[in-house]
Amino acid sequence: MSRTVIHGGLVVTASDEIHADVLIEGGRIAALAAHGTDAATSWSADRRIDATGMYVLPGGVDAHTHMEMPFGGTYAADTFETGTRAAAWGGTTTIVDFAIQTMGRSLREGLDTWHAKADGRCAVDYGFHMILSDVNESSLKEMDRLVAEGVTSFKLFMAYPGVFYSDDGRILRAMQRASGNGGLVMMHAENGIAIDVLVEQALAEGRTDPRYHGDVRKVALEAEATHRAVQLARVAGAPLYVVHVSADEAVDEIAAARHKGLPVFGETCPQYLFLSTDNLAEPGFEGAKYVCSTPLRPREHQEVLWRGLRNNELQVVSTDHCPFCFSGQKEMGRGDFSKIPNGMPGVEHRMDLLHQAVVDGHLSRRRWVEIACASPARMFGLYPKKGTIAPGADADVVIYDPGAEQTISAETHHMAVDYSAYEGRRVTGQVRTVLSRGVPVIEDRAYVGHAGHGTYLPRGTCQYL
Ligand SMILES: [Zn+2]
């Protein structure tokens, strides 16, 4: 069995920061021992990695990606191959992507389609959530079978009427089912019926630029939907995970629910923490690069999101990675913001941007690891296999250089998309080496992984946070 020792680094997990050497055996963490002790120096190894001056982190878990997702007649630009490679470059060693049920078809058919897209192509490990587009007797029954086989979370939409939208009755039924089978309902909480009215009115009045995408998707309509989702989950006796929370008032709804002791959880994304409606208003058609839903909000919302992350009102930062090229894809919405494919690239820079938040004083190092690695792993039934460095865990390990300076740019990123939402942004900290189950994927800033190393992860049920 091949043995690797990582020595001299600062091991940072959600609970501890210790100067420890790490022994990896057969793809798993075998032991930790204080650096310099007899125990650590006596380990024999096939490979030794010097992590002096580095952080040794559990691999990132990005619980919200959309590789090659169909949207508005086109597909997200990253395939499972390019997207998981980019994830690895950024220190993310697990993604949970969304398989989609096509209206009128079974969950099984959707899941099979996504397995076929990902199988043999991923650089790092992956699991699936299931998007429920069509809640009916047979898809409800199928939920039980999916939970039993490791697809334990189901996304529903209060937005996108005519596409993914479910009305309150369907949502309630799905939540009732989840409360019985251990599944977790993930909610896109925006009042899509009202938003569509505002979209129609804006377009009729000639307000067609990207900035109006942010305008019509009102804070109140995110907060209202979040409130409604909480109440429906409460009635159903089900836990609820609200995806991509962007508005301060939506954070307040989640905080109020948690204050009542309800099992309600919130996720936000780097774009809401670092970008704002100023970006949507960039001149020309540049704002299209930042069109995603929920939308970017005015700057003032950022402080509430940071506070929410610190206070555990929000538990997870995922990317909602759903990249569309500016050229040829985002451009489909010139003259009509409602035709701009919704989504942004981000899977590569989540760990770095959140490290910058540590540097800036928004988060502690342990909270950084918690919201990016441990909590998403717990939330989606992957802990402690993923999300920590402890004996028995998969040896998904990132050697992170906290002092390295880098400039984020489309020129140097590895995502298959022609722009960066963070073009020119300087950040402190960079991934040096990444192991996935003990196997190097990135080694001293060189990609040494391969498509097909990543394996499918059946997941357990949600561990409440
Ligand atoms: Zn999404």
Side-chain angles (χ1 to χ4, degrees):
M1 223 180 327
S2 120
R3 285 160 66 99
T4 301
V5 169
I6 302 169
H7 60 92
L10 178 68
V11 176
V12 184
T13 65
S15 54
D16 294 298
E17 303 187 359
I18 44 171
H19 286 281
D21 295 358
V22 180
L23 174 66
I24 295 166
E25 201 171 43
R28 291 191 176 179
I29 307 291
L32 284 84
H35 183 60
T37 56
D38 289 350
T41 45
S42 71
W43 289 334
S44 65
D46 309 293
R47 179 193 295 122
R48 290 182 182 275
I49 300 174
D50 182 2
T52 307
M54 305 279 157
Y55 296 158
V56 179
L57 311 171
V61 177
D62 190 341
H64 191 154
T65 68
H66 300 280
M67 304 305 172
E68 48 195 293
M69 190 191 88
F71 191 98
T74 188
Y75 287 85
D78 266 315
T79 61
F80 279 88
E81 183 168 349
T82 63
T84 56
R85 193 163 63 208
W89 272 104
T92 288
T93 52
T94 300
I95 64 163
V96 189
D97 204 273
F98 289 86
I100 301 179
Q101 175 197 21
T102 303
M103 194 63 81
R105 304 290 181 82
S106 67
L107 302 187
R108 174 68 51 197
E109 194 176 328
L111 188 57
D112 286 349
T113 304
W114 257 258
H115 271 299
K117 288 176 199 251
D119 187 30
R121 296 191 176 85
C122 293
V124 296
D125 292 350
Y126 62 98
F128 290 121
H129 313 286
M130 189 81 222
I131 288 179
L132 280 181
S133 317
D134 192 359
V135 177
N136 57 44
E137 269 317 304
S138 87
S139 55
L140 287 168
K141 285 203 188 87
E142 277 195 284
M143 283 175 76
D144 302 352
R145 291 199 285 276
L146 262 59
V147 170
E149 69 180 63
V151 177
T152 55
S153 39
F154 301 88
K155 189 176 180 191
L156 288 152
F157 290 77
M158 302 168 104
Y160 304 126
V163 188
F164 295 129
Y165 173 82
S166 291
D167 65 24
D168 292 353
R170 290 190 171 87
I171 289 169
L172 183 63
R173 281 180 195 280
M175 286 173 164
Q176 287 170 332
R177 198 78 187 194
S179 99
N181 65 24
L184 176 63
V185 168
M186 308 170 74
M187 188 62 73
H188 180 135
E190 282 189 296
N191 186 327
I193 300 283
I195 286 168
D196 274 11
V197 172
L198 299 178
V199 169
E200 196 184 303
Q201 290 168 349
L203 294 175
E205 289 160 14
R207 291 181 283 132
T208 62
D209 290 345
R211 73 173 71 190
Y212 298 109
H213 170 83
D215 242 35
V216 297
R217 305 188 83 93
K218 304 283 185 199
V219 166
L221 297 177
E222 183 185 342
E224 181 277 326
T226 304
H227 181 83
R228 188 156 34 100
V230 167
Q231 300 311 322
L232 291 169
R234 187 178 168 195
V235 168
L240 172 70
Y241 177 93
V242 184
V243 296
H244 50 54
V245 174
S246 72
D248 53 4
E249 291 179 30
V251 177
D252 293 344
E253 294 292 345
I254 291 166
R258 292 179 63 80
H259 188 71
K260 288 197 188 88
L262 297 171
V264 172
F265 312 97
E267 161 198 281
T268 190
C269 311
Q271 53 269 36
Y272 307 118
L273 295 164
F274 291 92
L275 305 173
S276 71
T277 44
D278 297 352
N279 299 99
L280 270 174
E282 283 179 11
F285 191 61
E286 291 292 298
K289 294 175 176 174
Y290 309 95
V291 166
C292 57
S293 296
T294 61
L296 301 186
R297 301 296 184 189
R299 231 162 235 297
E300 311 82 85
H301 292 250
Q302 292 171 359
E303 197 37 57
V304 178
L305 297 173
W306 288 122
R307 187 203 68 202
L309 286 169
R310 282 191 298 271
N311 295 349
N312 207 35
E313 291 161 353
L314 301 174
Q315 290 73 34
V316 172
V317 175
S318 304
T319 60
D320 198 6
H321 176 76
C322 191
F324 295 99
C325 286
F326 184 73
S327 167
Q329 292 192 300
K330 289 289 190 180
E331 284 181 327
M332 291 159 65
R334 270 192 202 275
D336 179 350
F337 69 82
S338 75
K339 295 205 163 57
I340 300 169
N342 280 211
M344 283 174 49
V347 75
E348 189 169 349
H349 296 115
R350 183 181 64 123
M351 297 294 284
D352 288 333
L353 287 164
L354 292 176
H355 180 258
Q356 184 61 44
V358 174
V359 172
D360 293 342
H362 292 298
L363 300 172
S364 70
R365 274 193 298 231
R366 278 177 289 132
R367 187 61 176 159
W368 166 45
V369 172
E370 188 161 37
I371 63 180
C373 313
S375 291
R378 286 185 203 274
M379 200 77 236
F380 297 105
L382 291 165
Y383 195 90
K385 182 180 167 71
K386 306 295 188 188
T388 193
I389 295 181
D394 280 358
D396 290 6
V397 181
V398 175
I399 316 293
Y400 197 82
D401 182 350
E405 301 274 333
Q406 58 166 322
T407 303
I408 299 176
S409 172
E411 302 284 311
T412 48
H413 75 200
H414 304 85
M415 300 176 286
V417 59
D418 63 358
Y419 75 94
S420 171
Y422 306 96
E423 187 65 41
R425 186 178 292 258
R426 302 271 300 160
V427 293
T428 302
Q430 191 173 46
V431 168
R432 279 226 63 82
T433 290
V434 176
L435 307 180
S436 164
R437 283 175 279 106
V439 177
V441 180
I442 304 290
E443 198 163 21
D444 282 327
R445 305 273 328 134
Y447 180 72
V448 294
H450 66 270
H453 166 79
T455 59
Y456 171 69
L457 297 166
R459 296 178 293 113
T461 53
C462 173
Q463 303 162 32
Y464 291 4
L465 299 167

